[in-house]
Amino acid sequence: VQINAIKLIHCSTPQPEPPKPLKEYPSKLEYCKALYPAEVKYVENDPATTSLLLRIVYKLSGNTIMLFDHLDHLDRLYTEFKSRYPDHECYLINGSTPVDERIEIVRILEESDHDVVVMVMAKCFGTGINVKDIRNLFIANGYSKATVKVIQGIGRGLRKLADKTSLRLLDIHHS
């Protein structure tokens, strides 16, 4: 069995205003370095982005893993998702989640016959985690800037499974 396709869903929303105009920076690289933290803060706190993200995740079919780099963003989205969709099965994994609980969540993902969402700190879902039945991988803002992390995240979704022919990769980008 092999994965034949990765379906990329790209959503674009307005970008925040830069801290100061490009011409005031010594180089475009310095401008980008200054803009990135402002963009992360904007995306993680923008109600329209949060609403869009949660609606998309709710409507996805199959198991979904959402990877986060920032704990406060993870906590806010998890709380909001549980508030909006109380009947949808959703779990949170962060650094304080006990190992036995993480193992149980992985077991639920593997054995589930319905849509399960797991919101996880990327650092907590690294080496040694092998979940085959991931149909959707959602890269939360901040996580998508590091190429190695993105490739490792995609690797989580490319595990082989008899009836799995694709992985849906989702990213929210402000441009």
Side-chain angles (χ1 to χ4, degrees):
V1 177
Q2 72 179 49
I3 302 295
N4 294 322
I6 294 177
K7 298 174 184 175
L8 178 62
I9 298 173
H10 176 81
C11 300
S12 187
T13 56
Q15 186 170 359
E17 291 297 317
K20 56 187 180 179
L22 173 62
K23 64 183 178 186
E24 294 184 27
Y25 289 91
S27 68
K28 187 163 184 170
L29 177 62
E30 293 302 315
Y31 170 78
C32 292
K33 285 180 181 178
L35 183 58
Y36 177 70
E39 180 182 339
V40 168
K41 183 177 179 181
Y42 175 85
V43 171
E44 291 183 356
N45 294 292
D46 179 49
T49 301
T50 296
S51 184
L52 171 67
L53 203 151
L54 295 178
R55 278 194 323 268
I56 290 170
V57 170
Y58 177 71
K59 292 179 180 183
L60 291 172
S61 61
N63 292 335
T64 301
I65 299 290
M66 294 183 71
L67 296 171
F68 292 82
D69 258 355
H70 302 113
L71 185 57
D72 57 336
H73 189 215
L74 165 65
D75 290 340
R76 274 196 316 277
L77 262 67
Y78 176 76
T79 301
E80 184 69 23
F81 189 88
K82 294 295 282 182
S83 172
R84 288 185 188 197
Y85 311 109
D87 296 334
H88 198 94
E89 197 168 0
C90 182
Y91 299 93
L92 177 132
I93 298 175
N94 61 30
S96 63
T97 307
V99 173
D100 57 334
E101 205 173 303
R102 294 179 198 196
I103 292 168
E104 177 63 13
I105 293 169
V106 169
R107 187 194 62 73
I108 290 167
L109 276 171
E110 288 296 322
E111 296 176 4
S112 176
D113 61 352
H114 56 281
D115 308 333
V116 176
V117 175
V118 176
M119 298 184 181
V120 62
M121 285 297 294
K123 294 175 185 176
C124 299
F125 224 60
T127 307
I129 301 293
N130 188 17
V131 182
K132 293 178 182 161
D133 197 10
I134 298 173
R135 307 300 171 124
N136 310 295
L137 181 68
F138 208 121
I139 298 172
N141 186 62
Y143 186 79
S144 61
K145 299 294 182 184
T147 305
V148 171
K149 287 183 184 180
V150 172
I151 291 169
Q152 287 174 339
I154 291 170
R156 296 274 160 251
L158 292 178
R159 304 295 198 261
K160 295 178 181 180
L161 192 64
D163 69 338
K164 183 175 168 183
T165 58
S166 67
L167 167 69
R168 192 175 291 122
L169 177 63
L170 300 103
D171 184 20
I172 296 285
H173 174 73
H174 286 247
S175 58

